[in-house]
């Protein structure tokens, strides 16, 4: 049975310059290459080459806009904890593959503890959130139990 790739080992070859580029882009993903190169202390051509290499190796997974969910009609957010009925690899992998494609799902976290997964979900209303849980999770034979926690406020960390 193959083991998952260890991300720490996969990124062990990154040096201080690579890590500085990553930290700067995590703080401001729209920073122009010239400004990034200046902050990091390398030539713009070097910075561009390293940034491309960081994308290719998977250290940079993408760039996105941090959009207020209310602006797109999804003001309600929740964390839905899910306990699975079976824990064989195939069942766990199948649930993850299905859950990331469900409408309103922002993120899926495979966690340790009493629950197996936590789904970060956005919805238009409490009724829409209830319908999501009933229509997609409660009817799934792989799901033994769910618990929904509403998110009152979300603050982004600097980590």
């Amino acid at each position: 049975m193959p083991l998952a790739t260890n991300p720490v080992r996969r990124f062990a070859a990154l040096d201080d310059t690579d890590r500085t580029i990553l930290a700067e882009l995590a703080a401001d993903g729209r920073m122009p290459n010239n400004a990034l190169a200046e902050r990091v202390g390398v030539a713009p051509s070097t910075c561009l080459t390293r940034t491309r290499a960081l994308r290719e190796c998977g250290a940079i997974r993408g760039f996105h806009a941090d959009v207020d969910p209310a602006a797109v009609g999804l003001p309600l957010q929740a964390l839905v904890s899910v306990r699975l009925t079976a824990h064989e690899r195939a069942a766990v992998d199948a649930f993850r593959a299905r859950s990331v494609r469900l409408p309103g799902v922002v993120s899926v976290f495979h966690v340790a503890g009493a629950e197996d997964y936590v789904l970060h979900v956005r919805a238009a209303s409490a009724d829409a959130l209830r319908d999501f849980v009933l229509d997609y999770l409660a009817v799934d034979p792989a799901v033994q139990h769910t618990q929904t926690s509403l998110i009152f406020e979300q603050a982004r960390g600097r980590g």
Side-chain angles (χ1 to χ4, degrees):
M1 178 182 314
L3 295 175
T5 303
N6 182 335
V8 173
R9 193 172 301 134
R10 189 171 96 200
F11 298 129
L14 300 181
D15 63 14
D16 289 343
T17 301
D18 293 325
R19 293 186 196 291
T20 303
I21 290 170
L22 292 172
E24 292 293 337
L25 287 175
D28 180 3
R30 293 179 45 136
M31 185 181 304
N33 184 64
N34 286 342
L36 179 59
E38 185 176 322
R39 286 253 181 108
V40 175
V42 296
S45 59
T46 300
C47 189
L48 187 59
T49 300
R50 283 179 174 254
T51 301
R52 284 183 182 150
L54 290 166
R55 275 199 317 260
E56 289 169 8
C57 80
I60 296 175
R61 296 184 295 200
F63 297 92
H64 70 278
D66 187 10
V67 176
D68 186 325
V72 293
L74 301 171
L76 186 68
Q77 295 188 79
L79 298 175
V80 182
S81 298
V82 177
R83 185 178 314 136
L84 300 178
T85 55
H87 295 93
E88 296 87 21
R89 179 176 293 278
V92 170
D93 290 347
F95 177 79
R96 182 187 37 75
R98 280 193 311 278
S99 63
V100 296
R101 293 190 305 268
L102 294 176
V105 171
V106 177
S107 297
V108 174
F109 302 95
H110 189 188
V111 298
E115 310 304 334
D116 298 302
Y117 281 91
V118 176
L119 280 56
H120 178 191
V121 179
R122 292 179 179 154
S125 65
D127 288 341
L129 177 60
R130 181 199 61 226
D131 291 346
F132 170 83
V133 172
L134 293 175
D135 295 344
Y136 295 102
L137 300 177
V139 298
D140 187 335
V143 174
Q144 178 183 37
H145 174 77
T146 65
Q147 181 172 323
T148 302
S149 300
L150 293 180
I151 297 174
F152 293 133
E153 179 181 11
Q154 179 183 10
R156 202 173 253 279
R158 296 191 57 127

